[in-house]
Amino acid sequence: MRLILGSGSPRRRELLAQLGVVPDEVRAPEVDETPEPGELPRAYCRRIAAAKAAALQGGPDDVILCADTTVALGRRILGKPSDAGEAAAFLFALSGRRHRVITALAVKRGGTVRERDVVTAVRFKRLSDTEVNGYLATGDWQGKAGGYAIQGPAGAFIPWIQGSYTAVVGLPVYETAMLLAAAGWPVWRQE
């Protein structure tokens, strides 16, 4: 039995390591992450995680773990910004407001796919132009849903969350451990 992580995210590998889990293989699947017209953020996130799992093939006993994280401002999906201008627009839209971070998981073994999503409420402080420009200059926004990462400098913008911190980072460790165990992957095994 092997564990295949369907993500190129170093943060997801770090969060798996918190559980003492090291994937046998890391493969980032090629999936079109364009939202469908009118698609709601939670449904979108679940669809993308499931599509990633479907795109990866493994042996009959291999366990494939895929995830997707989305920032939702109401019904609006804030994906990975294409440039600093879009990242700034996202940050100003989030400024002084609550939003949701949704992380969906899909764990596949053989023909069985187990899914779970975790929704965390996050509040941003009111941001000044200086704060946004300073943050953009760090480059930390690149490749991050909503244009920020809670575990980086943007953590200084977040006075409050309700839910799972690790889900906001990109992989809810509790739910991941439960899904892996349900798929037969012994999370707490002794080597």
Side-chain angles (χ1 to χ4, degrees), residues 18-38:
Q18 288 182 15
L19 294 170
V21 174
V22 177
D24 296 293
E25 189 176 339
V26 175
R27 277 193 265 155
E30 291 292 324
V31 172
D32 179 5
E33 296 187 17
T34 306
E36 295 176 354

Side-chain angles (χ1 to χ4, degrees), residues 41-42 69-79 87 89-103 118-127 135 144-151 154-165 167-169:
R42 195 168 183 176
T69 301
T70 295
V71 171
L73 186 58
R75 297 169 60 99
R76 185 175 167 203
I77 296 168
L78 303 182
F90 286 174
L91 293 169
F92 282 120
L94 296 170
S95 176
R97 301 177 68 184
R98 286 187 187 178
H99 62 279
R100 292 172 295 135
V101 177
I102 304 156
T103 295
V118 177
V119 180
T120 302
V122 178
R123 183 165 56 90
F124 261 38
K125 70 184 280 294
R126 189 163 309 280
L127 301 175
Y135 178 68
K144 310 289 191 331
Y148 78 92
I150 194 171
Q151 72 278 12
F157 301 156
I158 301 169
W160 176 89
I161 74 165
Q162 182 178 36
S164 170
Y165 174 84
V168 178
V169 176

Side-chain angles (χ1 to χ4, degrees), residues 5-26:
L5 175 61
S7 173
S9 165
R11 291 163 302 284
R12 290 194 175 119
R13 278 183 294 219
E14 290 166 7
L15 290 167
L16 273 178
Q18 288 182 15
L19 294 170
V21 174
V22 177
D24 296 293
E25 189 176 339
V26 175

Side-chain angles (χ1 to χ4, degrees), residues 135-146:
Y135 178 68
L136 293 175
T138 70
D140 190 60
W141 58 270
Q142 295 175 7
K144 310 289 191 331

Side-chain angles (χ1 to χ4, degrees), residues 46-138:
R46 289 180 66 101
R47 178 178 64 83
I48 298 301
K52 289 176 180 179
L56 293 177
Q57 299 303 313
D61 284 332
D62 289 345
V63 175
I64 297 171
L65 167 64
C66 295
D68 187 67
T69 301
T70 295
V71 171
L73 186 58
R75 297 169 60 99
R76 185 175 167 203
I77 296 168
L78 303 182
K80 297 171 184 166
S82 57
D83 56 30
E86 187 174 34
F90 286 174
L91 293 169
F92 282 120
L94 296 170
S95 176
R97 301 177 68 184
R98 286 187 187 178
H99 62 279
R100 292 172 295 135
V101 177
I102 304 156
T103 295
L105 301 169
V107 173
K108 180 170 79 170
R109 182 173 181 194
T112 303
V113 179
R114 292 168 176 84
E115 298 177 73
R116 180 79 191 267
D117 63 75
V118 177
V119 180
T120 302
V122 178
R123 183 165 56 90
F124 261 38
K125 70 184 280 294
R126 189 163 309 280
L127 301 175
S128 68
D129 288 347
T130 301
E131 288 169 321
V132 170
N133 289 327
Y135 178 68
L136 293 175
T138 70

